């Protein structure tokens, strides 16, 4: 499957911009959408999932406009929205059976698929427990399972690692790596480390627009030569915050160890040491300065 996103714009009532002239192509592999809250990630994903219609522009799935023929995507779609609701009185098995029925799935193959997914999501031991007894992370895992029921060619996951503990996040990353293959997997997060660990290709979004796209290695170049560290007292720290983009502060010998990024046109502070840029540095530079 190939997705072509052409000049996609979404305006809400009152004129608020959700997406602005967003254009890119998406092929098989894992694409990570990275951006702060309100960047337009969820709006884009809801349009791709045929839940929301754009104000202008279009999305083509293998050449078919999904606004006019939404079933072209819905037949092969797995979707986990950011605010995923469940039926608390159903057990994990009952819930997945219900979702499977909604998707037109049934038979022995579906029953086997449900059992395999419960095992993969580490929920087999609680398969007959009511979902109301689940922790937040367990509910997130049952949400991921329902998105995978129909073995989708297009898998859209909005903030899928929210509520997962570190061990579960590693399990989830390994699962996605196994799933990718010839599928399109699109996931969003505002947690840079999650996207860096999972995605082959990364889009950085801000205020409804595409700022940059590339691998983690290529995106880091946006901040190369702009990352510095130095120690500072409280007064100097306040000055650094006014003049630069401060990305990390930690206690150090009664003062502070500060990592900061140069704003456009700025020069490093005396006593600073240049350091290698990270993806988080690039993300902060791009979302502060604008398109690369």
């Amino acid at each position: 499957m190939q997705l072509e996103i052409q000049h996609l714009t979404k305006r809400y009532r009152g004129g608020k911009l959700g997406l602005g002239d967003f254009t890119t192509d998406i092929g098989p592999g894992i694409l990570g959408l990275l951006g702060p809250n309100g960047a337009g990630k969820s709006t884009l994903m809801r349009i791709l999932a045929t839940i929301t219609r754009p104000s202008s522009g279009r999305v083509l799935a293998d050449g078919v406009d999904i606004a006019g023929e939404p079933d072209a995507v819905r037949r092969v779609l797995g979707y986990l929205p950011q605010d995923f609701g469940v039926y608390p009185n159903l057990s994990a098995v009952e819930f997945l059976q219900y979702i499977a029925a909604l998707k037109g799935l049934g038979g022995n193959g579906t029953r086997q698929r449900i059992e395999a997914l419960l095992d993969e999501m580490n929920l087999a031991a609680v398969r007959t427990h009511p979902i109301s007894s689940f922790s937040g992370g367990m509910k997130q895992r049952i949400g991921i399972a329902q998105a995978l029921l129909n073995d989708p060619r297009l898998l859209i996951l909005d903030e899928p690692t929210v509520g997962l503990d570190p061990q579960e996040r590693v399990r989830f990353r390994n699962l996605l790596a196994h799933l990718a293959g010839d599928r399109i997997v699109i996931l969003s997060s505002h947690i840079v480390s999650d996207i860096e660990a999972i995605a082959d290709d990364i889009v950085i979004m801000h205020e409804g627009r595409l700022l940059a796209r590339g691998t983690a290695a290529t995106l880091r170049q946006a901040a190369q030569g702009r990352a510095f560290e130095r120690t500072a007292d409280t007064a100097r720290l306040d000055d650094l915050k006014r003049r630069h983009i401060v990305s990390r502060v930690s206690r150090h010998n009664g003062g502070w160890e500060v990592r900061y990024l140069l704003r456009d046109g700025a020069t490093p502070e005396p006593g600073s040491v240049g350091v290698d840029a990270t993806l988080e540095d690039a993300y902060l530079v791009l979302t502060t300065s604008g398109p690369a």
Side-chain angles (χ1 to χ4, degrees):
M1 173 178 270
Q2 292 285 332
L3 295 179
E4 300 172 58
I5 303 173
Q6 301 176 351
H7 305 290
L8 212 57
T9 296
K10 177 65 178 180
R11 285 196 178 274
Y12 295 100
R13 288 183 180 178
K16 181 182 177 182
L17 184 70
L19 285 175
D21 196 30
F22 193 101
T23 296
T24 198
D25 294 337
I26 306 174
I30 302 175
L31 176 69
L33 304 180
L34 185 60
N37 291 332
K41 305 185 300 296
S42 293
T43 298
L44 174 62
M45 298 176 103
R46 286 173 63 83
I47 290 173
L48 296 179
T50 72
I51 294 168
T52 298
R53 294 178 66 91
S55 303
S56 62
R58 62 180 185 166
V59 178
L60 303 180
D62 290 338
V64 176
D65 189 335
I66 68 171
E69 299 184 48
D71 285 345
V73 163
R74 291 173 183 169
R75 284 191 297 266
V76 296
L77 172 69
Y79 177 51
L80 175 64
Q82 186 172 357
D83 299 315
F84 175 66
V86 296
Y87 292 83
N89 295 324
L90 296 181
S91 70
V93 167
E94 290 169 339
F95 175 71
L96 292 179
Q97 290 172 338
Y98 171 68
I99 297 298
L102 291 180
K103 293 185 176 185
L105 306 173
N108 288 333
T110 296
R111 284 192 288 272
Q112 292 169 4
R113 176 74 171 162
I114 288 172
E115 295 301 327
L117 285 169
L118 288 170
D119 185 60
E120 191 73 52
M121 295 298 156
N122 200 26
L123 293 171
V126 295
R127 59 190 299 282
T128 60
H129 294 196
I131 295 175
S132 60
S133 67
F134 285 10
S135 68
M138 293 164 71
K139 290 176 181 176
Q140 192 73 350
R141 280 182 274 148
I142 200 72
I144 295 167
Q146 65 80 30
L148 295 171
L149 273 171
N150 59 332
D151 196 20
R153 292 174 60 204
L154 172 61
L155 181 59
I156 298 176
L157 306 170
D158 196 351
E159 300 283 356
T161 58
V162 170
L164 301 186
D165 65 30
Q167 189 174 26
E168 290 171 330
R169 286 162 77 175
V170 170
R171 179 190 293 271
F172 175 70
R173 292 171 187 172
N174 293 338
L175 173 64
L176 275 195
H178 172 71
L179 284 173
D182 60 354
R183 307 172 197 262
I184 294 176
V185 180
I186 304 172
L187 70 152
S188 73
S189 181
H190 60 278
I191 303 173
V192 176
S193 59
D194 280 350
I195 292 295
E196 186 169 19
I198 296 172
D200 310 308
D201 196 9
I202 300 168
V203 165
I204 296 180
M205 299 176 64
H206 187 54
E207 296 181 348
R209 303 186 185 279
L210 190 157
L211 296 186
R213 180 175 178 178
T215 65
T218 57
L219 290 173
R220 283 195 290 268
Q221 296 303 310
Q224 204 59 42
R226 300 176 68 155
F228 292 86
E229 292 181 353
R230 64 156 296 165
T231 57
D233 58 21
T234 299
R236 175 61 67 181
L237 174 60
D238 290 341
D239 186 55
L240 284 169
K241 288 179 177 179
R242 285 191 295 270
R243 293 165 53 83
H244 305 289
I245 305 165
V246 172
S247 61
R248 189 179 69 233
V249 178
S250 58
R251 287 282 187 183
H252 180 78
N253 293 336
W256 306 97
E257 183 76 32
V258 185
R259 184 186 183 95
Y260 69 92
L261 306 164
L262 299 180
R263 295 185 184 275
D264 292 342
T267 56
E269 303 292 321
S272 298
V273 177
V275 293
D276 289 337
T278 65
L279 180 61
E280 183 174 69
D281 293 333
Y283 167 72
L284 290 171
V285 166
L286 288 166
T287 55
T288 301
S289 303

